Amino acid sequence: SRKNEGFQCRAIYREIVGFMNGLFCPKCGNEAASRTVFQCPSCRSILEVRIKIDDLTRTDFDRMRQNRDRSIWRWFEFFPVAERAHILSPGEGDTPLIPAARLGEKLGIANFYLKNDTVLPTGSLKDRSNSVGVSVAKELGFTTAASMTTGNAAGSVAAYAAAAGIDSVVMVPAGTAASKIIQARAYGATVLVIDGDFDYEVAKLYKAAVQEFGWYDCLSSNPYRDEGKKSYAYEMADQLDGRIPDWVIHPTAGGTGIYAMWKGYTELLSLGWIERRPKLVAAQSEAAAPIVAALERGLADVEPVLARETIAESIQVGNPVSLGWRALAAIRESNGTAVAVSDGEILDAQALIGNLAGIFAEPAAATSVAVAKKLRDGGVIARNDAVVCNLTGHGLKQPEAIQLPEKDLAPIAPTLDALREQLSRAGEAKSR
């Protein structure tokens, strides 16, 4: 048919001529001369990908939604990969958007959803980024992918590098959960545990190593990998059949998720595929909340803070130097906000997610629900608002966060009396 011929022609044009106008600086407007230079030489801002999408039609949207490939790559035209042959996809994307009625009732929110990224291939949202980022690394001919991380990116970068047939090196700060290090090692990564402050000493070493050894940088300083989280917007528009939530709450470290979702929703709006965009909320730990602080002070850019110890180790970042300003802009443009919560509130939310929705989320992921509760209690979120909380990582990433009393693990005698006593104790614990 003519419709299919038109799609095929556009696909051929994309793969032969090019898929994008190039990298550009979102601050000063400079165009990049190379696909492998990620920072503006004038203002040092991280560059951004400009992708040609103005020829897409509503028919293309319907085709993408009906595609049997349920990974993020059914939205291929929105991503900076020229040839499908370079795509790396163990199955990331199309994660469940769950109407969590029992949890919503507890929070006082009638239309409450959980976007369950705990089921992604390596158990975290990082797979969205690295599927795109490492696919580009393969396309550009890199032989080693690298990341510095407080946890989840380690396993994800390692997994996608393994799928690409290239090496991976990840740096993590001392104290990172052993389960996350083990996962990265399982995919063949070289894992380096660095004894130093993450935002400064580890970051300085990492930057020097990328320069020295020619590694492919998989941080948010890479504009290609940043595109992957746009897929949140496409998936939610599909799963809600074009309806847009009033609020999307996202656990936030460096700000990539907030910035990328906003870009994705803006693309859909520009094409006329949706009628409005949601309010975006950055959920942070009180121990590492630079975006919250910058928003409260009315700053255009984020000022670094000293990240303290927190149970939400995956978002323990005090200096979101790459995209903090972009996240702030997205929050303001969406009429959203940024909220910090305590470790106690985070652990309470983690328990609620497990007990009322049947999902084991890591503490960092649970910050979205903790913030939803805080905003509802404060009257910012109305009872009938549609709210989506992104659950960004599986609880098995950090199982030691849940501290069980020794008596709960101690064996009991094989008698009914002992069983009754144990059941009574368990019932009392639940009621507290």
Side-chain angles (χ1 to χ4, degrees):
S1 69
R2 283 185 183 175
K3 180 172 67 177
N4 287 335
E5 286 175 3
F7 163 63
Q8 291 168 359
C9 286
R10 285 198 303 276
I12 292 170
Y13 180 85
R14 174 189 173 97
E15 296 193 1
I16 294 177
V17 179
F19 58 89
M20 63 180 184
N21 298 331
L23 299 177
F24 73 99
C25 177
K27 276 192 176 178
C28 62
N30 286 340
E31 301 287 337
S34 168
R35 287 190 68 189
T36 58
V37 175
F38 298 160
Q39 195 171 43
C40 176
S42 298
C43 69
R44 311 307 296 168
S45 293
I46 301 305
L47 300 180
E48 187 173 325
V49 177
R50 182 184 287 122
I51 296 180
K52 179 177 170 54
I53 60 170
D54 56 2
D55 61 340
L56 294 176
T57 67
R58 185 74 191 203
T59 300
D60 291 310
F61 186 40
D62 295 338
R63 168 184 54 79
M64 293 172 189
R65 294 183 67 190
Q66 295 165 10
N67 196 328
R68 288 188 176 183
D69 177 5
R70 305 309 294 177
S71 76
I72 64 171
W73 292 100
R74 61 186 167 128
W75 315 103
F76 175 70
E77 286 83 352
F78 290 98
F79 295 130
V81 174
E83 298 182 25
R84 290 181 182 270
H86 295 140
I87 290 174
L88 303 168
S89 178
E92 67 298 310
D94 200 35
T95 56
L97 185 63
I98 302 163
R102 293 187 67 220
L103 181 52
E105 182 180 357
K106 177 72 173 179
L107 300 178
I109 303 172
N111 301 296
F112 186 73
Y113 299 85
L114 297 173
K115 181 66 169 159
N116 185 16
D117 269 12
T118 71
V119 300
L120 286 171
T122 72
S124 90
L125 80 164
K126 298 295 184 181
D127 294 344
R128 295 179 183 274
S129 295
N130 289 311
S131 181
V132 177
V134 182
S135 292
V136 175
K138 180 180 178 182
E139 191 163 77
L140 295 176
F142 280 87
T143 58
T144 301
S147 181
M148 59 169 263
T149 173
T150 52
N152 285 333
S156 184
V157 168
Y160 283 87
I166 64 178
D167 294 332
S168 60
V169 178
V170 294
M171 293 184 186
V172 300
T176 297
S179 52
K180 295 178 181 179
I181 295 173
I182 291 168
Q183 185 185 27
R185 288 290 299 273
Y187 298 126
T190 298
V191 182
L192 306 168
V193 182
I194 310 299
D195 186 13
D197 179 85
F198 180 76
D199 288 315
Y200 299 98
E201 293 168 302
V202 181
K204 182 179 180 180
L205 175 62
Y206 175 80
K207 185 176 181 179
V210 168
Q211 184 71 27
E212 175 72 17
F213 302 114
W215 297 338
Y216 179 79
D217 180 9
C218 291
L219 299 185
S220 56
S221 48
N222 179 329
Y224 304 117
R225 58 83 73 188
D226 296 340
E227 295 287 293
K229 288 176 189 160
K230 294 191 305 183
S231 55
Y232 273 122
Y234 314 145
E235 288 180 20
M236 288 184 209
D238 173 39
Q239 291 170 320
L240 292 171
D241 201 22
R243 293 179 292 116
I244 301 301
D246 297 293
W247 303 86
V248 177
I249 306 176
H250 187 73
T252 301
T256 305
I258 292 288
Y259 146 74
M261 275 194 293
W262 189 242
K263 186 177 181 182
Y265 276 114
T266 299
E267 289 172 340
L268 296 179
L269 186 67
S270 73
L271 292 168
W273 295 359
I274 59 175
E275 295 182 353
R276 63 179 181 87
R277 297 168 292 185
K279 298 173 184 176
L280 300 183
V281 181
Q284 297 200 289
S285 163
E286 288 180 351
I291 291 175
V292 173
L295 194 67
E296 289 176 348
R297 294 174 58 194
L299 303 179
D301 204 346
V302 175
E303 291 187 351
V305 302
L306 180 62
R308 307 188 310 275
E309 289 298 316
T310 173
I311 197 69
E313 67 174 32
S314 293
I315 55 173
Q316 187 184 357
V317 173
N319 186 19
V321 63
S322 297
L323 295 174
W325 74 276
R326 296 292 278 158
L328 282 172
I331 290 167
R332 289 187 173 114
E333 288 172 22
S334 74
N335 294 315
T337 188
V339 179
V341 285
S342 67
D343 277 8
E345 291 171 306
I346 293 168
L347 289 172
D348 287 346
Q350 182 186 39
L352 288 175
I353 296 165
N355 293 338
L356 299 178
I359 298 172
F360 186 21
E362 70 170 339
T367 58
S368 60
V369 173
V371 165
K373 182 180 187 305
K374 200 166 191 174
L375 290 175
R376 178 68 187 108
D377 290 347
V380 178
I381 291 177
R383 176 171 180 78
N384 291 322
D385 284 352
V387 179
V388 174
C389 285
N390 291 341
L391 299 183
T392 50
H394 201 289
L396 291 177
K397 293 281 190 172
Q398 194 183 344
E400 64 276 11
I402 298 178
Q403 299 294 319
L404 298 177
E406 288 188 14
K407 61 183 178 182
D408 285 2
L409 300 175
I412 64 171
T415 66
L416 282 175
D417 286 343
L419 179 58
R420 289 190 187 96
E421 182 180 347
Q422 188 78 350
L423 291 173
S424 176
R425 186 182 301 119
E428 291 173 1
K430 281 188 176 181
S431 65
R432 286 198 291 269

